[in-house]
Amino acid sequence: MKTSDFDFELDESLIAQTPILDRSSSRMLVLDKNSGEIKHECFRNIVDYLDESCCLVLNDTRVIPARLYGVKEKTNANIELLLLKQEGDIWESLVKPAKRIHLDDVIIFGEGLLKAQCVGIMDNGIRKFKMIYDGIFMEILDKLGEMPLPPYIHEHLDDKDRYQTVYAKNVGSAAAPTAGLHFTNEILEALKKKGVTIVYVTLHVGLGTFRPVMEEEVLNHKMHSEYYCISKEAADALNEAMRLNKRIVSVGTTSTRTLESAYDNGFKECYGNTEIFIYPGYKFKVVDSLITNFHLPKSTLVMLVSALATKENIMKAYNEAIKERYRFFSFGDCMFIK
């Protein structure tokens, strides 16, 4: 299986740079994964497609303002840090320019409100830093940090909340689970009234989600690792939904990776790191349907949706979306694979 099989041409004008005013007014391409039939809808009409026979699973991770701009203590060189993974006060971070940062170097942020000392050197511009501060780290980060928008978004985001889902709760993501950005509280309430079971799981999204696959042979790609958690309440609700043979509708590839990683003849309260790589040929254990945005060419996300709906159907749907000038990527429109 070749990575080039999942490539497609996309005009840059179709890459959404800003969120639309009304989350629920995004366009939604509805794809029947079996027949390949395509319909065009508005996202708020998702309520018409789900009922009491469905279990909707959402990722309640919350994005942190993980991009920091500071200066190197010894030289005053400008340094950018992107926080990726936390272990207490140690943060694995992407550094620009990485060649300027060596062991024990210190970066100063906010005139000393926060300092970061390099305690580890990793590959691909990643370093480990010990954070030095007084007070509560997340409060300091809220003051100094910026939302870590993907590299293809060049516009400034005025409202930080527009890069959060309305149900974001558990702090820890370096990127938003963007399929969930279309939901409003009103839509969630309407779904509850229809009897849809709604379950929240957590997966903290890492930067690896945006990276194209560099290996030409798909199987040679090493998948990035992301932390996930399923509560006892969520596990019980999922087990009951599967016992009743409900359709499991996953919101986003992150919820999908969580469900498929955690399932082992049922669900239980659990947490861990997943490197699950889903590509055509994979047999889904849990997920029946998927709400998802339109993804980067040659990405693991395009491979995941192709595993669910076949590569032929996905490429047909993407070509249709391009022809109809759907908005792509994080702030773009979405697709419902039913």
Side-chain angles (χ1 to χ4, degrees), residues 17 67 82 96 148-154 207 210-211 296:
Q17 293 295 317
R67 181 166 276 121
L82 186 59
K96 291 183 182 178
L149 297 179
Y152 47 74
I153 292 179
H154 309 298
L207 281 190
F210 298 118
R211 288 179 177 158
L296 289 162

Side-chain angles (χ1 to χ4, degrees), residues 6 25 65 137 178 189-190 192 196 213 244 247 254 272 320 326:
F6 301 90
S25 64
F137 179 75
T178 54
E189 283 303 314
K192 287 177 185 175
V196 176
V213 178
L244 295 173
R247 180 164 55 125
T254 61
E320 176 76 4
Y326 274 64

Side-chain angles (χ1 to χ4, degrees), residues 67-219:
R67 181 166 276 121
L68 290 162
Y69 296 96
V71 294
K72 188 175 174 180
E73 189 174 52
K74 295 177 182 177
T75 65
N76 276 338
N78 291 324
I79 304 293
E80 177 186 335
L81 229 62
L82 186 59
L83 308 182
L84 300 177
K85 286 184 182 178
Q86 180 185 18
E87 293 179 18
D89 280 335
I90 305 295
W91 279 86
E92 197 173 294
S93 308
L94 182 66
V95 186
K96 291 183 182 178
K99 63 183 180 181
R100 291 184 180 272
I101 300 300
H102 307 95
L103 275 179
D104 296 324
D105 283 346
V106 174
I107 307 169
I108 301 171
F109 306 96
E111 298 181 346
L113 188 61
L114 175 67
K115 293 183 179 181
Q117 182 180 23
C118 181
V119 295
I121 306 291
M122 303 174 72
D123 294 333
N124 301 316
I126 294 175
R127 306 284 188 265
K128 285 189 175 183
F129 290 93
K130 177 177 174 55
M131 297 298 169
I132 304 164
Y133 57 93
D134 290 321
I136 299 172
F137 179 75
M138 283 301 168
E139 289 183 359
I140 294 171
L141 194 61
D142 276 338
K143 291 180 182 177
L144 301 180
E146 293 186 3
M147 276 299 180
L149 297 179
Y152 47 74
I153 292 179
H154 309 298
E155 294 289 330
H156 178 74
L157 181 64
D158 293 324
D159 181 1
K160 285 183 180 181
D161 284 342
R162 290 311 308 272
Y163 197 55
Q164 303 278 17
T165 61
V166 297
Y167 47 82
K169 177 182 176 184
N170 292 314
V171 173
S173 269
T178 54
L181 294 178
H182 307 283
F183 283 86
T184 62
N185 288 319
E186 291 75 18
I187 286 177
L188 291 170
E189 283 303 314
L191 291 170
K192 287 177 185 175
K193 286 179 180 176
K194 286 193 70 176
V196 176
T197 300
I198 297 180
V199 177
Y200 295 95
V201 299
T202 303
L203 181 137
H204 293 326
V205 188
L207 281 190
T209 193
F210 298 118
R211 288 179 177 158
V213 178
M214 304 309 294
E215 300 283 352
E216 176 55 12
E217 289 290 338
V218 169
L219 296 183

